[in-house]
Amino acid sequence: MTALSDHRTAVRPTMADVAAEAHVSVKTVSRVVNHEPGVRPDTAERVRAVIERLGFRRHDGARLMRQGRTFTIALVVEDLANPFYSQVGAAVEREARIRQHQLITASAEGSPSRERAVIEALVNRRVDGIVVVPADESASSDAVLEASRTPIVYMDRPVRGTPRDTILSDNHGGIRSAVEHLVAHGHRNIAFYGDDPAFWTARQRRDAFVATHQGLGLPSSPRVSMGPHTAGSVQETLTQWSVGSEPISAVITGNNRITLAVLLALRELRLPLSLVGFDDFELAALIDPPVTVVHQDPAAMGQKAAQQLFARLLGDESQAQTVVMPTRLIVRASGLRRAALNR
Amino acid sequence: MTALSDHRTAVRPTMADVAAEAHVSVKTVSRVVNHEPGVRPDTAERVRAVIERLGFRRHDGARLMRQGRTFTIALVVEDLANPFYSQVGAAVEREARIRQHQLITASAEGSPSRERAVIEALVNRRVDGIVVVPADESASSDAVLEASRTPIVYMDRPVRGTPRDTILSDNHGGIRSAVEHLVAHGHRNIAFYGDDPAFWTARQRRDAFVATHQGLGLPSSPRVSMGPHTAGSVQETLTQWSVGSEPISAVITGNNRITLAVLLALRELRLPLSLVGFDDFELAALIDPPVTVVHQDPAAMGQKAAQQLFARLLGDESQAQTVVMPTRLIVRASGLRRAALNR
């Protein structure tokens, strides 16, 4: 294999290179490239030959940017490898593509400072708009966005301060349906495993669990464990809550990562508990028993966020709106008492 | 909520706007922005006040592009929502981010013509380099890439023609280990479910299955079903091959999507077959019995591809190389005869 020329990293030819090679001005090259009048036919032909030979390509980006638009939007999430975000990403990318836009994806890894750096870089690159799953509620990038007038849509979690378009899931309704499902099937002692309470969604779901638990007048006090979790910490609380006078018979989880952690812990401990997970997952139907979940639709959320962003790019100046997307309970079997996991 | 000003889609202020507002030339604004000499202090102060008021931000992109670099790389895959590609995407994005580059992701949805359009748009935007999981082997975008001298790294599947850096998985070794594992556990009648033979990887894995099957001198002829599959077609062949004088006792699948389809079909048909899947998946350990898989490492492949691309961007002009990443068998239980699925 010889490919010395394939990976040349020399600066790619510019209009100036073409001009020098064709012994004309840059303006003349520009006229030829942009099919503008004022160039003698033989000169135009010579310029085109040089363009061909050097492999010069007009830089669409520069042209678009003279119009103030880059035809690029961005998506900032926590971690693209998480199935929730990868489904959001695929949906946003699709909305961008059908509108001839490109999508820059960036992971902030849950760090507000990294998120701010990422957003500043995107603004400096003049992306036309950004969909952000914010790392926290502090809106630390908002001043940058405000100054640059870059449209933004927040997703999954809101941000304090200036109202912005925000796409959320019905966290409260989702958790309520999970508790009610378990209670309807005879469960009275139910534990909730939530994510790190630094996350708005984690607190929403926890609060919904406690409120529903109290609203239904269940005898025991609600048992809640918030993240960050480790395999060890999950096993420890599960073990602890499964003994005593009021052992738990069911668990509700706050997201797909925690469902996985709880499933692994139940398998490890061989504890016969029922389960309802927040977030559907691909193989939920293949676990034994199949896992009942609260389904939120990341693809629909991503699509909605992108559509809202493009509406703003097209000139929609109506008030910022918050859209709460419905969740629904997908009943499989893991919520039933007689179908407890690892029974 | 009132936010009329938050989503203004007016063209963002340019240097020309600042110049007009400050009653100076664009060159003067440029000097102030770029901290160049030749501007009177009071003028500079006036310009900075206007910059502040209008919310003008220097366009880093334009500055970088004058240096011939955009500090952007791109990743073109089939479908970002597929866990294989989302793990690749997260790894490539991480490599880009730690080098202060941004990543544009694009899905070609398996269509060579869409892939060509996507790659042309990326080249016209002057991304510095591209990692591509090619839709086919025809290298239909290669002329565009060659002319623009955009470095490219192919991943997962090679492309015919000009040698290019290519990162592959050891498909042959992976499938061979799957067949040998099943045979070692007493299986003699094994079927292979592969993807659409239009894909190079699908043919590689099929050929590896047939070659290993013949090499081991198994009594029956190898049974092979290639995609595209439907739930119905999988159920039909599984049923057909499970009866007669030499019923199959085990199945090998060609990728994560097909593993899912076969798992669902086995559950539906309640067929007691063993299984080894190509591609590990998150909940493989939680299926009953836990699923034995050939693990290829998408994150490592994405990282390797990005590292190779950045080496080219840094001036590595050595010959194009093909790197074959190892696969490994993760033995759980589904390959054992006595632990057949749905027994």
Side-chain angles (χ1 to χ4, degrees):
Chain A
M1 293 195 297
T2 61
L4 287 177
S5 69
D6 301 322
H7 297 285
R8 250 178 271 190
T9 50
V11 171
R12 281 169 279 186
T14 62
M15 280 202 191
D17 298 332
V18 175
E21 191 80 7
H23 305 291
V24 297
S25 69
V26 171
K27 184 65 206 161
T28 299
V29 177
S30 169
R31 284 188 176 124
V32 172
V33 166
N34 293 305
H35 309 288
E36 289 166 8
V39 185
R40 280 173 39 187
D42 58 335
T43 307
E45 193 163 324
R46 193 168 75 244
V47 170
R48 278 192 290 269
V50 172
I51 285 173
E52 181 83 4
R53 194 167 77 244
L54 295 186
F56 168 80
R57 291 183 73 82
R58 182 176 61 179
H59 186 181
D60 279 1
R63 186 170 50 81
L64 295 173
M65 281 178 295
R66 284 196 298 274
Q67 300 164 3
R69 287 283 301 276
T70 60
F71 289 73
T72 308
I73 65 168
L75 172 68
V76 180
V77 299
E78 187 178 330
D79 170 17
L80 201 61
N82 180 320
F84 181 83
Y85 297 118
S86 65
Q87 287 177 72
V88 169
V92 172
E93 198 260 320
R94 186 177 166 75
E95 293 299 309
R97 179 154 36 83
I98 62 182
R99 291 174 179 82
Q100 316 290 326
H101 282 60
Q102 292 180 334
L103 175 69
I104 293 178
T105 46
S107 299
E109 296 183 352
S111 153
S113 64
R114 185 165 291 157
E115 177 184 293
R116 195 170 58 239
V118 162
I119 288 179
E120 285 197 358
L122 292 167
V123 166
N124 288 344
R125 285 285 302 276
R126 291 210 173 178
V127 296
D128 294 333
I130 313 181
V131 174
V132 179
V133 178
D136 66 1
E137 290 132 87
S138 68
S140 56
S141 319
D142 232 51
V144 173
L145 293 162
E146 183 67 29
S148 69
R149 296 185 193 157
T150 307
I152 190 166
V153 175
Y154 287 119
M155 221 200 80
D156 194 42
R157 310 159 187 166
V159 154
R160 281 191 296 268
T162 326
R164 301 283 190 189
D165 289 324
T166 306
I167 314 296
L168 304 174
S169 258
D170 181 9
N171 296 297
H172 193 92
I175 290 292
R176 191 181 56 231
S177 68
V179 178
E180 288 174 351
H181 172 74
L182 289 171
V183 169
H185 288 87
H187 294 280
R188 292 294 174 270
N189 290 282
I190 306 167
F192 176 77
Y193 280 79
D195 202 349
D196 189 329
F199 295 118
W200 181 84
T201 41
R203 296 197 305 277
Q204 282 272 307
R205 293 170 196 170
R206 175 197 62 196
D207 295 350
F209 171 73
V210 172
T212 309
H213 194 284
Q214 291 171 341
L216 291 171
L218 295 177
S220 62
S221 59
R223 271 155 285 191
V224 171
S225 172
M226 300 299 281
H229 301 286
T230 64
S233 70
V234 172
Q235 289 191 21
E236 195 178 318
T237 49
L238 281 175
T239 305
Q240 185 186 321
W241 289 339
S242 296
V243 294
S245 61
E246 288 181 322
I248 58 170
S249 62
V251 175
I252 295 173
T253 59
N255 67 32
N256 60 356
R257 299 284 106 175
I258 300 170
T259 304
L260 181 60
V262 167
L263 282 168
L264 288 168
L266 291 176
R267 157 107 7 155
E268 191 68 28
L269 298 168
R270 304 204 162 273
L271 266 181
L273 299 185
S274 294
L275 171 70
V276 177
F278 206 95
D279 289 331
D280 197 13
F281 56 98
E282 215 165 26
L283 295 165
L286 290 167
I287 308 281
D288 186 22
V291 180
T292 295
V293 296
V294 175
H295 176 55
Q296 54 174 351
D297 191 337
M301 291 176 76
Q303 182 182 42
K304 185 79 188 166
Q307 287 172 345
Q308 184 65 14
L309 188 66
F310 280 110
R312 297 305 184 182
L313 292 176
L314 287 172
D316 178 354
E317 299 195 355
S318 59
Q319 288 192 357
Q321 58 173 315
T322 295
V323 179
V324 178
M325 307 283 284
T327 58
R328 69 191 163 89
L329 193 73
I330 300 179
V331 177
R332 296 194 176 103
S334 67
L336 313 180
R337 285 206 82 153
R338 63 182 181 284
L341 288 139
N342 299 304
R343 193 168 29 104
Chain B
M1 292 194 297
T2 60
L4 287 175
S5 69
D6 302 322
H7 297 288
R8 243 176 276 188
T9 51
V11 170
R12 280 169 280 185
T14 62
M15 279 201 191
D17 299 332
V18 175
E21 191 79 6
H23 306 291
V24 297
S25 69
V26 170
K27 184 65 205 162
T28 299
V29 177
S30 168
R31 284 188 176 125
V32 172
V33 166
N34 293 304
H35 308 287
E36 289 166 8
V39 185
R40 278 172 39 188
D42 59 334
T43 307
E45 194 165 322
R46 193 167 75 243
V47 169
R48 278 193 290 268
V50 172
I51 285 174
E52 181 83 4
R53 194 168 76 244
L54 295 185
F56 169 80
R57 290 184 73 82
R58 182 176 61 179
H59 185 179
D60 278 1
R63 186 169 51 80
L64 295 173
M65 281 178 297
R66 282 196 299 274
Q67 301 165 2
R69 286 284 300 278
T70 60
F71 289 73
T72 309
I73 66 168
L75 171 68
V76 180
V77 300
E78 188 178 331
D79 170 18
L80 202 61
N82 180 319
F84 181 83
Y85 297 119
S86 64
Q87 287 177 71
V88 169
V92 172
E93 197 259 321
R94 186 176 166 75
E95 293 299 309
R97 180 154 34 85
I98 61 182
R99 292 174 179 82
Q100 316 290 328
H101 282 61
Q102 292 179 335
L103 174 69
I104 293 178
T105 46
S107 300
E109 296 183 352
S111 153
S113 64
R114 183 164 294 156
E115 176 182 295
R116 196 170 57 239
V118 161
I119 288 179
E120 285 197 358
L122 292 168
V123 166
N124 288 344
R125 285 286 300 277
R126 291 210 173 179
V127 295
D128 295 331
I130 313 181
V131 174
V132 179
V133 178
D136 66 1
E137 289 132 89
S138 69
S140 56
S141 319
D142 232 49
V144 172
L145 292 163
E146 183 68 29
S148 70
R149 295 183 194 157
T150 308
I152 189 165
V153 175
Y154 288 119
M155 222 200 79
D156 193 44
R157 310 159 187 165
V159 153
R160 279 192 297 268
T162 327
R164 301 282 189 190
D165 289 324
T166 306
I167 314 297
L168 304 174
S169 256
D170 181 9
N171 296 296
H172 192 93
I175 291 292
R176 190 181 57 232
S177 68
V179 178
E180 289 174 350
H181 173 74
L182 289 170
V183 170
H185 287 88
H187 294 281
R188 292 293 174 270
N189 290 282
I190 306 167
F192 176 78
Y193 280 79
D195 202 348
D196 189 329
F199 295 118
W200 180 85
T201 41
R203 296 197 304 279
Q204 282 271 308
R205 293 169 197 172
R206 175 197 62 196
D207 295 351
F209 172 74
V210 173
T212 309
H213 194 284
Q214 291 172 340
L216 291 170
L218 294 177
S220 62
S221 59
R223 272 155 284 192
V224 171
S225 171
M226 300 298 281
H229 302 285
T230 64
S233 71
V234 172
Q235 289 191 21
E236 196 177 317
T237 49
L238 280 174
T239 306
Q240 185 186 320
W241 288 339
S242 297
V243 295
S245 61
E246 286 180 325
I248 58 171
S249 61
V251 175
I252 294 172
T253 59
N255 67 31
N256 60 356
R257 300 284 105 174
I258 300 170
T259 304
L260 181 60
V262 167
L263 282 168
L264 287 168
L266 291 176
R267 157 110 4 155
E268 189 69 27
L269 298 168
R270 305 202 161 273
L271 265 180
L273 299 184
S274 294
L275 171 70
V276 178
F278 207 95
D279 289 330
D280 196 13
F281 56 99
E282 216 165 26
L283 294 166
L286 290 167
I287 308 279
D288 186 23
V291 180
T292 295
V293 297
V294 176
H295 176 55
Q296 53 176 350
D297 191 337
M301 292 174 77
Q303 181 182 42
K304 185 79 189 166
Q307 287 173 345
Q308 184 65 14
L309 188 65
F310 280 109
R312 297 305 183 184
L313 292 175
L314 285 172
D316 178 353
E317 297 195 355
S318 60
Q319 289 191 359
Q321 58 172 317
T322 295
V323 178
V324 178
M325 306 283 284
T327 57
R328 69 191 163 90
L329 192 73
I330 299 180
V331 177
R332 295 194 177 102
S334 66
L336 313 180
R337 285 205 82 153
R338 65 182 180 285
L341 288 139
N342 300 303
R343 190 167 31 104

